[in-house]
């Protein structure tokens, strides 16, 4: 009667391994997306004008360092990264934090996906 | 009246670009405490090393009842002592004052509260709801300040030094007036309020601190007086609120009142006596209701036993009743159901479904009730997380935020939202939103409006907060007038209105006429019900009260000292009575009587003076008496020695004869 136990243990092992793999893959994917958005899309580029009176999608994209057609996920991640750097709690400027929040809203409402 | 100029707005590359200056906070030097100023109970915590620690008060409790009482001799007591004497002093004991903070007297919630509490609610000088205790007017901010002062003292006792800076929490669904009033309370209490943060956000901070896995959490916060639901994303140290909703008049106090009503009704049915006529009996029942409510979270049935609750025609009457959990749940079912609506709205606003929520966190004392837990579970299709202490999580989170502001805690950022839309009233009484609800803060929004009549030289700007489409149905936050517009046809002037919300969730409004160029500008800090003069007056009164308290303490100490001295002197009189002359004894007794007489008076200085007099008198007399007694003892001792010598002499004579 050892066979059912062995079979059961094998199935359990397979199940646990699958669960583990799924989690690892999800985490890696999330991290990869984080890196993908943060590394290549950001370039040091000086924009001569100050902020416009009314924020346009183009300006919002510039603030976040993204293209206007970026996905919601990219916008979200980029917003978080910039807030970490610019939040008033961390010595950042309230004004800049305001602009980052607004940029996220403008771009998110423009892109539906 | 203003008319929206959105359609007429011209994009101009030459438009003037405004640059605003924001002043950053100065460096914080001392400890920053986190205070959960709750409706029923308050809690204080502080970051020590890498952990947040809850501080215990003078009575040894980790939470302090948010109760303030004024005793017979006009003394003010706060916390557990105040709660203990509530039965006998109900009219002069303020509790659940958070429900009225920042509210107008004519608010329907104020009317509702007036029927629920034994103390008196009156109209304040500015139209807000205030309290009247022993003929004195007290604002809810002032009452809150007394509780905050107790929390401050608790922190100072534990930390062994002065505490100045604090982070104070408020319900997420508090509007601007309520937030400002809470901040005023901190100022009155002598605290520098570094930040006002939302309670669910603080609880999420306590939960997510040092957790690395990205999570979407729902915080279900049902406390003593308010209900909040917030949905947050926690990713890489960023705690971002996606949406929040709630009810600022739903909590444990309502559950207590439901039970109280049930008790009164049952007693009347059974004994024919209406206990609401008797303040003391009602207060005893209220206490019993709260106790029963707590017990039914862990037992299925409880018994309420209150002997001598009242007096009937045939003698004293006793209250005795059994209450089951199912009966209690039946009584409060409608209250619990009221939490479902905000949860669903919050999910919708966040654009999420229940399957996307990773965790449900229960916060607030009322979430210990099994029925509440069941409802939270069914609403979110998820077993609630119970690893967070519902009473302390908010204070712990506030302490962590204090650490962030001080710079000690790294890698954490809060991005909260404004709970209600903000806008102004435009032509026809329409509410025009400038900042929508659930907008991340800090936030800023500028829009351009114009006149509705030819030659209009001024515009009245009314700032509202709420979700209704007509302005009058929302809450009026502020009202001001922009003067000096040049006479122009309607629709031509350009009035730029800017709304700025800071990280505390508080609003600043600027209105400017773009045409005149001389920057006709009105900047208004919304009032939380207390003007700067009010706060200054209260602070001055507070200092005067501190002086009174110090004098009272001196008096008590002087009396204790006096009684000790009198006791000692009388004891010495008995001991030395054989060595004192009659005039000396009489003089000392007279001085003792003088001290006794002055002890009954209210003058600490006089008591001290009489004590000194008695002390000077008795010092020389008792010194003389003591010496005399000493000489007498020496004399006796000498006699004994002589006797011994005599014996020795006899022995010597005997030796000679041999």
């Amino acid at each position: 009667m050892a066979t059912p136990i062995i079979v059961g243990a094998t199935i359990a092992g397979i199940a646990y391994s699958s669960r583990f793999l799924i989690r690892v893959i999800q985490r890696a994917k999330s991290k990869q997306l984080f890196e993908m958005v943060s590394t290549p899309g950001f370039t040091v580029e000086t924009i001569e004008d100050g902020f416009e009176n009314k924020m346009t999608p183009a300006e919002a994209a510039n603030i976040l360092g993204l293209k206007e057609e970026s996905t919601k996920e990219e916008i979200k991640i980029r917003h978080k990264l910039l807030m970490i750097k610019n939040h008033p709690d961390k010595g950042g400027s309230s004004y800049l934090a305001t602009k980052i929040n607004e940029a996220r809203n403008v771009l998110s409402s423009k892109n539906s996906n | 009246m203003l008319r929206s100029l959105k359609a007429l707005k011209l994009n101009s590359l030459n438009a003037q670009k405004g640059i605003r200056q924001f002043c950053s906070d100065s460096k914080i030097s001392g400890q920053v405490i986190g205070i959960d100023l709750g409706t029923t109970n308050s809690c204080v915590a502080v970051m020590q090393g890498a952990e947040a620690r809850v501080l215990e008060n003078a009575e040894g409790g980790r939470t302090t009842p948010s109760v303030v009482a004024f005793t017979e001799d006009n003394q003010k007591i706060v916390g557990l002592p105040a709660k203990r004497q509530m039965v006998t002093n109900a009219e002069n004991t303020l509790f659940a004052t958070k429900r009225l903070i920042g509210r107008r007297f004519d608010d329907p919630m104020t009317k509702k509260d007036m029927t629920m509490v034994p103390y008196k609610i009156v109209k304040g000088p500015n139209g807000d709801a205030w309290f009247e205790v022993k003929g004195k007017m007290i604002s809810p901010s002032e009452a809150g300040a007394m509780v905050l002062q107790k929390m401050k003292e608790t922190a100072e006792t534990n930390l062994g030094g002065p505490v100045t800076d604090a982070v104070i929490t408020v319900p997420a669904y508090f509007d601007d007036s309520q937030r400002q009033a809470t901040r005023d309370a901190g100022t009155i209490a002598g605290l520098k309020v570094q930040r006002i943060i939302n309670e669910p956000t603080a609880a999420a901070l306590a939960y997510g601190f040092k957790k690395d896995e990205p999570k979407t959490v729902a915080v279900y916060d049902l406390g003593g007086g308010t209900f909040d639901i917030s949905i947050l994303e926690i990713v890489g140290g960023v705690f971002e609120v996606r949406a929040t909703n709630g009810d600022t008049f739903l909590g444990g106090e309502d559950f207590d009142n439901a039970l109280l009503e049930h008790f009164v009704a049952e007693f009347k049915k059974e004994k024919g006596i209406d206990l609401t006529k008797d303040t003391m009996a009602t207060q005893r029942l209220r206490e019993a209701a709260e106790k029963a409510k707590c017990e039914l979270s862990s037992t299925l049935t409880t018994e309420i036993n209150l002997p001598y609750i009242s007096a009937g025609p045939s003698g004293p009457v006793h209250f005795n009743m059994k209450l089951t959990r199912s009966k209690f749940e039946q009584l409060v079912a409608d209250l619990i159901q009221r939490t479902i609506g905000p949860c669903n709205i919050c999910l919708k606003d966040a654009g999420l479904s229940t399957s996307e929520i990773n965790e449900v966190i229960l916060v607030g004392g009322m979430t210990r009730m099994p029925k509440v837990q069941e409802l939270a579970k069914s609403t979110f299709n998820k077993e609630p997380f119970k690893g967070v202490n519902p009473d302390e999580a908010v204070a712990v989170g506030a302490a962590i935020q204090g650490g962030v502001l001080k710079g000690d805690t790294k890698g954490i950022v809060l991005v909260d939202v404004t709970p209600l839309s903000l806008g102004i009233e435009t032509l026809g009484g329409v509410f025009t939103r400038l900042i929508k609800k659930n907008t991340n803060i800090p936030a800023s929004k500028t829009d351009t409006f114009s006149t509705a009549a030819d030659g209009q030289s001024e515009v009245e700007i009314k700032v509202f907060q709420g979700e209704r489409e007509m302005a009058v149905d929302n809450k009026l936050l502020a009202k001001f007038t922009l003067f000096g517009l040049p006479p122009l046809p309607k629709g031509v002037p350009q009035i730029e209105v800017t709304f700025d919300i800071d990280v505390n969730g508080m609003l600043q409004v600027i209105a400017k006429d773009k045409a005149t160029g001389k920057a006709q500008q009105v900047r208004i800090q919304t009032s939380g019900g207390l003007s700067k003069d009010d706060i200054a007056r209260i602070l001055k009164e507070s200092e005067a009260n501190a002086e009174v308290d110090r004098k009272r303490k001196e008096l008590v100490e002087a009396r204790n000292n006096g009684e000790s001295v009198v006791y000692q002197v009388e004891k010495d009189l008995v001991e030395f009575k054989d060595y004192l002359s009659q005039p000396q004894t009489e003089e000392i007794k007279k001085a003792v009587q003088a001290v006794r007489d002055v002890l009954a008076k209210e003058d600490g200085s006089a008591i001290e003076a009489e004590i000194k007099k008695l002390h000077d008198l008795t010092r020389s007399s008792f010194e003389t008496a003591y010496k005399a007694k000493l000489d007498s003892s020496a004399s006796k001792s000498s006699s004994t020695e002589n006797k011994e010598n005599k014996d020795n002499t006899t022995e010597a004579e005997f030796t000679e004869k041999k």
Side-chain angles (χ1 to χ4, degrees), chain B residues 142 184 187-188 530-544:
Chain B
E142 210 172 339
D184 291 343
T187 305
I188 294 165
L530 294 178
S531 65
K532 281 192 168 68
D533 290 341
D534 280 332
I535 293 175
R537 175 182 56 78
I538 292 170
L539 281 169
K540 191 175 287 185
E541 281 179 13
S542 184
E543 283 167 16

Side-chain angles (χ1 to χ4, degrees), chain A residues 27 34 50-51 53-54 76 79-80 83-84 87-90 94-95 97-98 101-102 104-105, chain B residues 16-18 20 22 195 233 238 240 401 404-405 411-414 439-444 503:
Chain A
R27 201 169 297 178
F34 225 78
F51 292 107
N53 266 356
K54 194 171 179 70
K76 189 200 290 181
H79 170 257
K80 288 191 197 303
M83 283 307 285
I84 289 173
H87 201 281
D89 289 350
K90 299 208 157 288
S94 283
Y95 183 63
T98 298
N101 280 335
E102 191 178 354
R104 186 269 187 88
N105 288 335
Chain B
Q16 191 132 14
K17 296 180 174 62
R20 297 183 200 86
F22 289 76
R195 182 61 51 80
E233 283 179 2
V238 178
E240 182 182 355
Q401 175 65 11
V404 171
L405 292 169
I412 286 183
V413 150
L414 286 187
T439 298
N440 290 126
I441 55 173
S444 180
V503 278

Side-chain angles (χ1 to χ4, degrees), chain B residues 192-264:
Chain B
K192 201 186 297 175
V193 184
Q194 292 293 340
R195 182 61 51 80
I196 297 281
I197 66 172
N198 294 335
E199 284 162 8
T201 313
L205 202 47
Y207 161 82
F209 190 45
K210 293 181 176 174
K211 283 187 169 73
D212 290 328
E213 197 174 341
K215 284 209 175 191
T216 303
V217 304
V219 182
Y220 184 103
D221 181 342
L222 185 57
T226 59
F227 170 66
D228 281 325
I229 176 68
S230 287
I231 294 176
L232 296 90
E233 283 179 2
I234 306 172
V235 180
V238 178
F239 290 71
E240 182 182 355
V241 180
R242 292 291 300 274
T244 192
N245 208 284
D247 186 334
T248 56
F249 213 93
L250 172 60
E253 300 284 333
D254 299 298
F255 289 66
D256 292 348
N257 281 299
L259 267 183
L260 178 59
E261 281 166 18
H262 173 66
F263 290 165
V264 169

Side-chain angles (χ1 to χ4, degrees), chain B residues 452-467:
Chain B
D454 290 335
Q456 189 172 332
S457 65
E458 62 185 44
V459 289
E460 186 181 46
I461 293 167
K462 289 177 173 175
V463 182
F464 286 90
Q465 186 171 33
E467 302 306 321

Side-chain angles (χ1 to χ4, degrees), chain A residues 19-82:
Chain A
R19 185 154 152 254
F20 178 73
L21 278 174
I22 289 166
R23 274 206 185 148
V24 168
I25 289 165
Q26 279 177 348
R27 201 169 297 178
K29 195 180 289 182
S30 179
K31 192 181 177 189
Q32 190 182 28
L33 188 55
F34 225 78
E35 287 173 355
M36 190 170 65
V37 170
S38 59
T39 305
F42 183 74
T43 58
V44 178
E45 181 184 335
T46 302
I47 299 172
E48 291 179 7
D49 299 326
F51 292 107
E52 298 172 26
N53 266 356
K54 194 171 179 70
M55 188 176 288
T56 61
E59 188 184 36
N62 279 332
I63 289 169
L64 295 176
L66 296 170
K67 301 183 182 70
E68 283 189 47
E69 309 82 33
S70 301
T71 64
K72 256 179 164 58
E73 191 69 19
E74 286 170 339
I75 294 166
K76 189 200 290 181
I77 290 169
R78 193 65 190 155
H79 170 257
K80 288 191 197 303
L81 284 169
L82 288 174

Side-chain angles (χ1 to χ4, degrees), chain B residues 291-317:
Chain B
K291 199 170 292 181
K293 178 188 75 177
C294 294
E295 281 178 23
L296 287 174
S297 292
S298 51
T299 66
L300 287 176
T301 184
T302 188
E303 190 168 342
I304 298 93
N305 221 318
L306 298 172
Y308 301 97
I309 191 75
S310 185
S314 58
V317 188

